[in-house]
Amino acid sequence: MGQIRTRTETNTLYFDFQYKKMRCREQTMLPNTPINHKKLSVVMTKIEAEIASGKFDYARYFPNSPMLNRLQEINTVVVQPIVSADIPVIPTTPYFKDFAAQWFDELRPTWRSSTAKGYQAYIDNRLNPYFGEIMVGCIGKADILKFRSMIAKSANGKLKPKTINKFLKLFKMIIDEAAIRYDFNTPYRGIKPLKEDKVHIEPFTVEEVNKIISHVRADWRAYLIVRFFTGMRTGEIDGLKWKYVDFDKRQILVRETHSYGQWEYTKNDGSQREIEMNQLVYDALMAHKQAQGGLYECVFVTRDGQPISNSNFLHRVWTPLLAYLGIPYRRPYETRHTSATLWLGAGENPTWIAKQMGHSNTEMLFTVYTRYVPNLTRQDGSAMERLIAASIQITPPTSGIALSPDRVATEVHHWDQLLTSDEVAQHG
């Protein structure tokens, strides 16, 4: 009698039955669940009934089975597979964990190290625990939606939609590639990302900037001055070398970054730029260089001359300093946003600001930063008010025109004369 058994090493189900005096074991990619076991048991019953009646077509149930060759050798006619909605087709595709590892290794050279580290963490901690033991060809749309719902609930609302969308975006890249290579329809069709909350930046005020720079340890003062007044990203300033500081042209050349202990190309080509140094930044860097005495390649280093650790700065300098000053905590990245709002508040050209920030255009300035400008300049529309008062002259009417009932009746009669009787009745 045929049975549905479980493969120990993969926890997947397989058929075990006798046909033509041969033991047949046909693997499936279905995980061992009560629903799947019941489904395959029904198929097993149907197979045995067809074997007993002499109507069993092996190829119809298992079109990719190696057993077909053995059956041909004993002169068994093999009929071409017939697609049937109630007969499960057993494709042979790799398990998700195996394909994800292959996909990652193939594309790893194209990513920055920080990107690769993030992807690896997503695969190991989020995707593999759920999809790892399922063959890629067996993953359905319902599985994806269930996964998304599960991680949202398990986090008790702590994971933002943007974070969940990152997990699913990575999964989509993997499963879409698997679908192309193994010729099946991607299950991700029709799944829309979760609606993400609008990102709100929290730049520091001028008063807060003054307090931070005035109270930070002397060995970190130049570092914060450069962060607050150049708009450089964390990896850009941590990887800044003296050869990229041009005091003659008063420019900082952004050419590479340093993060997770590795030197890399900038975020993108647009990030390769020249930042104009204002007098405050120029003086701070000049004094900092003299203090270093030309001993180091990097502008900002640890005591042993290595590029600074952002984690060390965050936990030993930044967080304690804000707490000491009573300033609400913000990420160090907000120093970049602060630069943009200070430049806008000072009336700098938006195109110039975008170039300083490494943006390809001014869209970011007008969608993210502009709302902070009134608080810095105290304009709040007053410039337009002055323009109207100085240039726009509108003469008000001296008197109104009142229409008497007779005048109104005359007007109605005039227009009625231009219409047929039917049109008058239609328009009332």
Side-chain angles (χ1 to χ4, degrees), residues 19-69:
Y19 179 60
K20 298 287 185 179
K21 297 182 179 181
M22 295 184 295
R23 185 179 182 183
C24 304
R25 284 175 286 193
E26 295 293 345
Q27 307 293 329
T28 80
M29 59 184 138
L30 301 182
N32 182 18
T33 65
I35 293 178
N36 289 337
H37 197 283
K38 183 178 180 180
K39 181 188 300 183
L40 294 187
S41 295
V42 173
V43 176
M44 187 73 260
T45 301
K46 191 170 184 178
I47 289 175
E48 290 194 308
E50 292 184 6
I51 291 175
S53 64
K55 298 179 180 179
F56 178 58
D57 180 359
Y58 207 105
R60 185 181 180 214
Y61 285 85
F62 309 108
N64 301 312
S65 174
M67 283 292 295
L68 295 179
N69 293 329

Side-chain angles (χ1 to χ4, degrees), residues 147-166:
F147 167 73
R148 186 172 69 178
S149 176
M150 181 196 71
I151 59 175
K153 291 178 180 178
S154 64
N156 295 321
K158 294 181 180 179
L159 283 181
K160 296 182 178 180
K162 181 178 181 180
T163 303
I164 297 175
N165 285 341
K166 286 182 179 179

Side-chain angles (χ1 to χ4, degrees), residues 314-366:
L314 178 66
H315 297 295
R316 302 189 65 179
V317 179
W318 181 255
T319 302
L321 178 62
L322 294 188
Y324 171 76
L325 297 176
I327 296 176
Y329 180 81
R330 275 96 106 192
R331 301 175 305 154
Y333 198 84
E334 293 295 341
T335 58
R336 175 172 162 83
H337 298 316
T338 301
S339 298
T341 56
L342 290 177
W343 278 324
L344 285 167
E348 296 289 359
N349 186 300
T351 302
W352 179 86
I353 298 174
K355 183 178 178 181
Q356 295 285 101
M357 299 286 289
H359 295 159
S360 58
N361 53 54
T362 59
E363 180 181 359
M364 179 71 75
L365 296 176
F366 294 118

Side-chain angles (χ1 to χ4, degrees), residues 136-194:
V136 289
C138 191
I139 298 174
K141 183 176 181 179
D143 298 315
I144 303 171
L145 296 177
K146 184 178 179 180
F147 167 73
R148 186 172 69 178
S149 176
M150 181 196 71
I151 59 175
K153 291 178 180 178
S154 64
N156 295 321
K158 294 181 180 179
L159 283 181
K160 296 182 178 180
K162 181 178 181 180
T163 303
I164 297 175
N165 285 341
K166 286 182 179 179
F167 302 155
L168 270 297
K169 181 181 179 181
L170 176 60
F171 173 81
K172 182 179 186 300
M173 290 192 291
I174 297 173
I175 200 67
D176 284 356
E177 180 62 25
I180 293 173
R181 297 191 188 188
Y182 295 98
D183 194 24
F184 62 86
N185 292 327
T186 174
Y188 210 93
R189 291 180 301 176
I191 298 179
K192 296 182 179 180
L194 298 176

